[in-house]
Amino acid sequence: MLLPVLFILIGFGLLIKGAGWMVSGSSALARKYHISDLVIGLTIVAFGTSAPELVVNAFASFEGHSDIVLGNIIGSNNFNLFVILGIVGLISPFVVQNSTIWKEIPIAMLAALSMYFLAHNFFISGTIGFSRIDGFAMLSMFAAFLYYIFRQMKAHPTQAEATAVLWSNLKIWTLIVIGLSGLVLGGKLVVDYAVELAKQLGVSEKIIGLTIVAAGTSLPELVTSVVAAMKRNSDMAVGNIIGSNIFNIFLILATSALIRPIAYNPKFDFDLYLLLGGTLFLFIAMFSGQKKKLDRWEALILVTCFVAYTIFSIVRE
C-alpha cells in the first residue's frame, strides 16, 4: 500500500509544480506582449489552478474510470466550496462584490444544476451519464461564460503592466514545456496509482476520487486562496474558488465527456446535493449577519459540514 501512496504523492507534486511552471511561463509571455494582469488572472492563472483536475480527468476518462472522473470534479468543487472558502473565511471574514453575488455564484449554481440534469438525462431519454453531445453542450456554456468574463473586462478595463518581463524566450518556453510535461506525467501517476490504491484498500474508485484525488488536485486553489486571504485580497480568493468550480464542470467535465462518454453512478447524487446546498448556502450567507460578507461563524459551518460529510461518506461506503 505504501508504494501507491508514494507515487500518488509524487504525482501531486508534479501536478502542482507543473501548473506553477506553466503559469509562470505563460504569464511572462503574456506580459511581454503587454496583456493586462486581469486578463492573465482570468485566463492563464484560472486555467493553471484547474490544470491538475483537467489532466487527471483526461487520463481517467481515456482509461474508462468514470467514478474517478466524477469523484474528482464533484469532490474538488465541494472541497473548494466547503474547505477552502471555509478556511479563507476563518482566516479573514471577507466582503463579496455585488457582481459575484448576483452573477458568478448563480452561474456556479447553474453549472451544478446542469451537471445534475445532464447526468440523469432529463432532456433526452436513455442511459444516465454524459454523452459527447452533453460534452458539447457544457463546452458551449463555458464559451458563454468566457464571453461574460471578457464583457466584464471591457466594462472595467485594467492597464497592462508598464514593465516588460526580462526573461528570454528560451526561459519562458522552457518553463511552459517543462510545466506541461510535469502535468502530463503527474496526472498519469495519480490516476494509475489511485486505481491501484482503491483495489488494495478494497474501497471504490468513487471514494478515492472524492477524497484523495479531489483534495490533491485542489491544492493549487487552496494555496492561491489562502495566500490571497492573508494579503486581504478577498476578490482573488473568492473569484478563484467560484471560477474554478465553474471551470471544473463546464470545461473539465465537458472535455472528459468528449474524450469518452462517462457513465454516471447514482451514488453521486448525495454529493451533488451537497454541492448545490453549499452553493445556495453561500448565496444566502451574503444576506445574513453582515451583508455581502462571509462571517467566521458561516465559514465554520462550511468546514464542519465538510468534515461530517466526509465521515458519513466513508462510513456508508
Side-chain angles (χ1 to χ4, degrees):
M1 187 178 76
L2 290 177
L3 192 61
V5 171
L6 176 61
F7 278 110
I8 288 172
L9 291 175
I10 292 172
F12 283 147
L14 287 169
L15 284 170
I16 294 165
K17 292 299 292 183
W21 288 327
M22 189 192 72
V23 168
S24 296
S26 301
S27 297
L29 185 65
R31 287 197 179 98
K32 206 159 207 176
Y33 291 96
H34 306 292
I35 298 173
S36 72
D37 279 340
L38 181 58
V39 175
I40 294 169
L42 287 171
T43 53
I44 296 169
V45 176
F47 175 79
T49 57
S50 293
E53 286 97 333
L54 178 61
V55 177
V56 166
N57 271 27
F59 278 112
S61 180
F62 182 76
E63 295 174 9
H65 300 296
S66 294
D67 279 2
I68 287 184
V69 170
L70 296 171
N72 186 24
I73 289 174
I74 301 172
S76 291
N77 279 20
N78 279 332
F79 190 87
N80 288 346
L81 186 63
F82 288 90
V83 178
I84 301 179
L85 266 190
I87 290 173
V88 168
L90 289 172
I91 292 173
S92 176
F94 54 84
V95 175
V96 179
Q97 289 189 10
N98 266 330
S99 64
T100 300
I101 296 171
W102 295 109
K103 293 178 181 177
E104 282 88 11
I105 294 177
I107 291 173
M109 176 66 80
L110 173 64
L113 284 170
S114 298
M115 183 177 183
Y116 180 81
F117 286 124
L118 289 173
H120 291 83
N121 280 322
F122 275 77
F123 309 109
I124 304 173
S125 61
T127 306
I128 64 173
F130 299 94
S131 65
R132 286 192 172 93
I133 294 175
D134 295 330
F136 278 116
M138 287 184 286
L139 210 55
S140 299
M141 295 179 197
F142 180 68
F145 175 63
L146 286 182
Y147 177 72
Y148 159 74
I149 287 176
F150 285 108
R151 283 289 299 271
Q152 289 289 94
M153 287 190 296
K154 282 188 176 181
H156 306 283
T158 302
Q159 293 295 320
E161 283 192 355
T163 56
V165 173
L166 300 178
W167 290 357
S168 66
N169 284 333
L170 177 63
K171 181 175 181 178
I172 290 171
W173 283 107
T174 299
L175 279 173
I176 292 172
V177 171
I178 292 176
L180 287 172
S181 301
L183 283 169
V184 171
L185 179 58
K188 178 69 172 168
L189 286 174
V190 169
V191 171
D192 288 350
Y193 286 96
V195 172
E196 180 62 29
L197 183 63
K199 290 177 181 176
Q200 290 189 18
L201 292 176
V203 299
S204 67
E205 292 182 5
K206 170 180 177 286
I207 289 295
I208 294 294
L210 283 169
T211 55
I212 297 172
V213 177
T217 55
S218 292
L219 288 176
E221 286 92 341
L222 176 61
V223 173
T224 301
S225 294
V226 168
V227 170
M230 294 176 72
K231 293 182 177 180
R232 298 289 191 263
N233 191 340
S234 61
D235 287 346
M236 179 179 290
V238 178
N240 180 39
I241 295 307
I242 301 301
S244 179
N245 279 15
I246 296 168
F247 265 59
N248 285 348
I249 295 174
F250 285 158
L251 174 63
I252 296 173
L253 180 59
T255 304
S256 303
L258 289 174
I259 292 172
R260 185 172 185 161
I262 301 165
Y264 182 78
N265 184 346
K267 288 184 177 180
F268 280 110
D269 282 352
F270 177 78
D271 310 287
L272 265 175
Y273 295 148
L274 182 75
L275 177 60
L276 289 165
T279 308
L280 181 61
F281 173 82
L282 180 62
F283 182 76
I284 294 172
M286 297 300 100
F287 306 96
S288 64
Q290 296 189 50
K291 301 293 188 291
K292 302 180 185 177
K293 189 174 185 179
L294 186 73
D295 298 303
R296 278 197 173 90
W297 65 271
E298 292 165 330
L300 183 60
I301 289 175
L302 288 174
V303 175
T304 304
C305 283
F306 187 83
V307 171
Y309 152 73
T310 303
I311 293 171
F312 174 74
S313 296
I314 294 172
V315 169
R316 74 168 179 161
E317 185 69 18

